[in-house]
């Protein structure tokens, strides 16, 4: 990645059936300057994705954010709520990547 920060946005319409490869990929991705935002647009269930968001051990930093689009769609001012939910962890992730040296420089 040339020490450049990237955000990977994944849009999924259902929960995965085999989680092992996904867990490995998320853990491996935590070794790179990469934030992953998964947007669930189907009817779920999304319990595994929520678990990945909060309790996936073995990562160098919390690099995964799950957003349940349907739960946000029903809120008032849903466009702003979606943007906030999707991007709210990015600043902390970026700062962590700086601190652990992924970006090649510190401010």
């Amino acid at each position: 990645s040339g020490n450049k920060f990237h955000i990977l946005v994944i849009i999924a319409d259902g929960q995965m059936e085999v989680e092992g490869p996904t867990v490995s990929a998320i853990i491996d991705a935590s070794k790179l300057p990469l934030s992953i935002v998964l947007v669930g647009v189907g009817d779920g269930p999304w319990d595994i994705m929520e678990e990945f968001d909060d309790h996936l051990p073995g990562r160098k930093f919390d690099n995964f954010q799950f957003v349940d689009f349907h739960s946000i769609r029903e809120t008032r001012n849903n466009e702003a709520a979606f943007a906030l939910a999707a991007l709210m962890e990015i600043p902390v992730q970026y700062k962590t990547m700086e601190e652990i040296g992924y970006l090649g420089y510190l401010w």
Side-chain angles (χ1 to χ4, degrees):
S1 73
N3 291 342
K4 293 181 181 175
F5 172 64
H6 298 278
I7 301 172
L8 172 63
V9 178
I10 302 169
I11 300 172
D13 65 355
Q15 189 151 279
M16 71 189 136
E17 295 181 17
V18 180
E19 62 183 82
T22 303
V23 169
S24 295
I26 293 170
I27 291 170
D28 288 346
S30 75
K31 299 172 188 165
L32 302 168
L34 175 69
S35 292
I36 303 168
V37 178
L38 189 140
V39 181
V41 296
D43 57 4
W46 298 113
D47 51 322
I48 291 175
M49 293 298 106
E50 291 171 358
E51 185 73 17
F52 286 177
D53 190 0
D54 297 323
H55 305 290
L56 191 61
R59 295 179 287 171
K60 300 274 186 184
F61 69 100
D62 178 10
N63 62 336
F64 185 85
Q65 171 70 9
F66 171 72
V67 179
D68 181 353
F69 180 77
H70 288 288
S71 68
I72 292 173
R73 191 176 70 174
E74 304 300 322
T75 64
R76 185 173 170 223
N77 200 1
N78 57 7
E79 291 175 1
F82 172 73
L84 178 62
L87 301 174
M88 65 190 251
E89 292 186 14
I90 299 296
V92 172
Q93 292 171 345
Y94 187 88
K95 182 171 177 36
T96 301
M97 287 181 236
E98 282 183 321
E99 290 171 353
I100 59 181
Y102 285 5
L103 301 174
Y105 56 88
L106 290 172
W107 292 101

